[in-house]
Amino acid sequence: MNQEAAGIYFDGKSAAPQAVTIVLNTLNGVLQFQTETATVERWLLGELSFENVGTTLQLQKQQPDGIAILKITDSTFAAAILKFRKENKQIGWYEKMLASGMKFHLVLGLVILGLIGLTYVYAIPWVGEKSVALIPESFDDTMSGTFISDNLLFSDVASDKSKVLNAFAKELQLNNKKKLKFIFVEEDIVNAFALPDGTIVVYSGIVDKMQNYDELVALLGHEAAHVNNRHSMKMLCRNLSGYLFISAILGDANGIMATIGDNVNSFQSLSFSREFEQEADREGFAIVVKNKVDPNGMLNLFKRLQDEGDSIIPEFLSSHPVTKQRIATTRQLVKSTPQQVEANSKLQQLFQQLKK
Amino acid sequence: MEENVPSKMHYQLDFKGKGETFFGIVIVNWLLTIVTLGLYYPWAKAKTLQFLFGQTTLNDDAFAFHGTGKEMFKGFLKALLVFAVLFGIMGALTYLGHQGIGILVLYLGIFAIMPLAIHGSYRYRMSRTTWRGIRFGYRGDQAELVKLFFKWVFFTIITLGIYSSWFQMNLRRYVIGNIRFGDAEMNYDGDGGDYLLMNIKGYFLTIFTFGIYSFWWQKEIFEYYVNNLSLHKDDKRIEFTSTASGADFIGLIVINMLLIVFTLGLGYSWVVTRTMKFIFDHIQLDGNIDLNTLHQTEENYKDATGEDVSDFLDMDFIV
Ligand SMILES: [Zn+2]
């Protein structure tokens, strides 16, 4: 069976179009036509590449010195070619997937988006957090070193009061595996933070607000829990892996998508820190109870932070968003945990020295 | 097709690709890239370029991109190697306690690769691009480009960045001036001074109009790109002219943003096809070159390393 149609041929040497008459042999899938130089071309359908441009079917044949092209506008003829290719299984899986229709692609797209979302929310933080185990603790120290030299350079580190603070902490059981070091900074900031290497920085602003030493114990317990759990490293790894994931996914999209992704990532990191805060609260509470200190100090501490409200400067490594929920959770803990409180005159005395 | 050669010829650029078709390609690319943990990326890129080039037409005949995933994969591996070596050197220096020098080496290294990447990616991409089977080509000289590149960088630094405008225009003139389309030559006429004035004007008017002028600024940038392009063959030429207005750009950009945001990024394919269509609908060609007389002159070149280095550096292909 033969079918015939008009076509336009480019020989791959010049851009001059040649009008040709193409004959398709539907038995062996050969296209035959005669060029202007009277050469007879025989093209095997299986060797060609196909592209639909508008309503034109374009066939390309790779030749040793270039690419020859045949354009066909006759739709019946194009359909006959497609029919032959289908019947002879010349259509590869890739082409089939492309031809599977808009609906299928849309479903596939939504599934992929869903999978990416799930991976981002569940798998990536987990991987990031677990990858902390691969990072040697010595790196925590190096990182903290840079942070201290960058951030405390212009701060007023009070060495006398730092000694008192260290003595205060020495009286306590902080469940720490790594040596903790305390720095007292004279600055009116109502905050404290923990660095991964075990350095805990306390500002005079927060101590001045405290009424009783049990509040300071709660603060140190909470910070120690951050260090014990390597929270800042975990957060860094989570953020970094989240960022890497997003940029890998959106890599070839464009600026708009990258910006959206970035914002999503930083939004996500807020809830990371909340989760870590809860853990530090729980463990900090356990430390308070273990040291036979009144856990109500923790509640008072939170109330003072809450009064301070938005004026708390967000810290890079571990800031302390005080929410009503944290207070409620702690109140619940105070109620449900059996506790034994003993007044500690030494802590009281050291605390008074810090307040001076 | 007319046999005699009239003094003024008719040219028509168009982009015929449909968003739905491209959407299928993008989704299948995503799927395969995820399933292969990213290894499919070079093939995905080849498919994308094949579509975008293959749907662009001049006088109803399509351009074509013949680069293959395999070529790009080899380029990808080479680019990876280059970056691994650079990061290795930085790591070693950091380990030895010279972190500052390590980072400096990394930045200088990346910087030094840039002209090589530009050269490589133009050479590769042009040689794999055809129209009616006639290959494009890039005839720039690598050593010359490197020398010029660093000379322009030096001027940019000592003029505190003012020269960057000339840097961009000189680079564009050099690169585009070395593009061949069969036996025809591309040319770019832009000048750093004009470009600087245009951008200063655009910058201030954008501020004064609270951003509204940015669309007209965009229009001028596009116009400056297009209107300085021309194609030459013997004593004949084709001039490029932009017909896009500021209002056209508002339509393009605003709808593109909405498409991305309200489809969670799935509308990306339509953004690309709309933008391609916009670009080619707004370039008018006038001149007297008879396209039928173009002849094959450029060689077949298959090294895709530059292509992927520029990908790693996140450089725009068009300078
Ligand atoms: Zn905390």
Side-chain angles (χ1 to χ4, degrees), chain A residues 10 12-13 15-16 52 67 71, chain B residues 55 61 66 132 291 294 296:
Chain A
F10 297 103
K13 294 179 191 78
N52 286 301
I67 285 137
K71 280 175 59 177
Chain B
Q55 297 297 322
D61 282 316
H66 306 287
R132 289 189 181 173
L291 295 175
L294 287 173
Q296 194 76 285

Side-chain angles (χ1 to χ4, degrees), chain B residues 148-185:
Chain B
L148 287 170
F149 189 87
F150 286 108
K151 189 176 96 185
W152 297 330
V153 167
F154 175 73
F155 287 156
T156 304
I157 292 170
I158 59 166
T159 57
L160 303 174
I162 295 170
Y163 193 78
S164 68
S165 182
W166 280 266
F167 184 170
Q168 288 175 53
M169 288 306 106
N170 291 349
L171 183 60
R172 203 180 275 177
R173 266 213 311 270
Y174 182 84
V175 171
I176 293 178
N178 277 301
I179 292 178
R180 297 289 177 275
F181 176 20
D183 51 347
E185 301 177 4

Side-chain angles (χ1 to χ4, degrees), chain A residues 10 12-17 51-53 58 60 65 67 69 71 94 97-98 102 105 108-109 112 252 257, chain B residues 24-25 27 31 34 40 47 54-55 57 60-62 66 132-135 260 268 270 291-292 294-296:
Chain A
F10 297 103
K13 294 179 191 78
S14 102
E51 181 97 56
N52 286 301
V53 185
Q58 191 173 293
Q60 289 175 16
D65 51 343
I67 285 137
I69 298 167
K71 280 175 59 177
Y94 184 83
M97 273 174 93
L98 286 189
M102 172 81 181
H105 291 147
L108 210 56
I112 292 173
D252 61 349
M257 290 299 283
Chain B
I25 293 173
I27 292 295
L31 183 74
I34 289 173
Y40 188 75
K47 296 283 184 204
Q55 297 297 322
T57 60
D60 264 346
D61 282 316
H66 306 287
R132 289 189 181 173
I134 302 296
R135 267 190 293 278
I260 286 280
Y268 168 73
W270 282 267
L291 295 175
N292 293 356
L294 287 173
H295 269 84
Q296 194 76 285

Side-chain angles (χ1 to χ4, degrees), chain B residues 110-236:
Chain B
I110 287 177
F111 199 54
I113 298 172
M114 281 171 76
L116 302 181
I118 294 171
H119 176 86
S121 66
Y122 266 85
R123 205 148 168 228
Y124 173 72
R125 202 177 276 196
M126 286 304 146
S127 74
R128 312 309 278 152
T129 305
T130 61
W131 178 78
R132 289 189 181 173
I134 302 296
R135 267 190 293 278
F136 282 73
Y138 176 70
R139 297 233 180 138
D141 181 72
Q142 188 171 14
E144 192 186 2
L145 180 65
V146 170
K147 238 187 278 169
L148 287 170
F149 189 87
F150 286 108
K151 189 176 96 185
W152 297 330
V153 167
F154 175 73
F155 287 156
T156 304
I157 292 170
I158 59 166
T159 57
L160 303 174
I162 295 170
Y163 193 78
S164 68
S165 182
W166 280 266
F167 184 170
Q168 288 175 53
M169 288 306 106
N170 291 349
L171 183 60
R172 203 180 275 177
R173 266 213 311 270
Y174 182 84
V175 171
I176 293 178
N178 277 301
I179 292 178
R180 297 289 177 275
F181 176 20
D183 51 347
E185 301 177 4
M186 287 293 290
N187 186 49
Y188 186 77
D189 276 331
D191 168 76
D194 296 344
Y195 192 61
L196 181 66
L197 284 180
M198 186 197 83
N199 281 320
I200 290 174
K201 183 185 123 195
Y203 177 77
F204 282 107
L205 283 176
T206 299
I207 290 177
F208 296 152
T209 58
F210 304 103
I212 295 168
Y213 189 78
S214 63
F215 298 107
W216 279 264
W217 186 8
Q218 193 60 51
K219 170 221 159 208
E220 292 197 324
I221 292 174
F222 180 71
E223 206 169 80
Y224 201 76
Y225 196 103
V226 172
N227 291 9
N228 282 306
L229 285 173
S230 55
L231 185 72
H232 302 256
K233 183 176 185 288
D234 307 323
D235 57 340
K236 300 197 177 67

Side-chain angles (χ1 to χ4, degrees), chain A residues 178-251:
Chain A
K178 126 186 256 174
K179 199 175 167 330
L180 298 175
K181 192 176 149 232
F182 296 85
I183 295 181
F184 191 87
V185 178
E186 285 290 356
E187 209 170 324
D188 196 23
I189 295 175
V190 186
N191 208 353
F193 59 85
L195 294 175
D197 71 339
T199 303
I200 290 171
V201 179
V202 178
Y203 288 101
S204 63
I206 193 166
V207 176
D208 289 342
K209 287 250 186 293
M210 293 174 179
Q211 305 276 320
N212 194 303
Y213 72 87
D214 53 16
E215 296 177 38
L216 185 56
V217 173
L219 179 71
L220 297 190
H222 173 95
E223 294 304 337
H226 276 317
V227 176
N228 295 346
N229 290 299
R230 294 182 86 187
H231 278 163
S232 28
M233 274 318 268
K234 280 182 186 165
M235 202 146 111
L236 196 76
C237 285
R238 276 178 158 198
N239 280 352
L240 204 64
S241 53
Y243 179 76
L244 285 178
F245 181 71
I246 291 249
S247 44
I249 292 291
L250 304 178

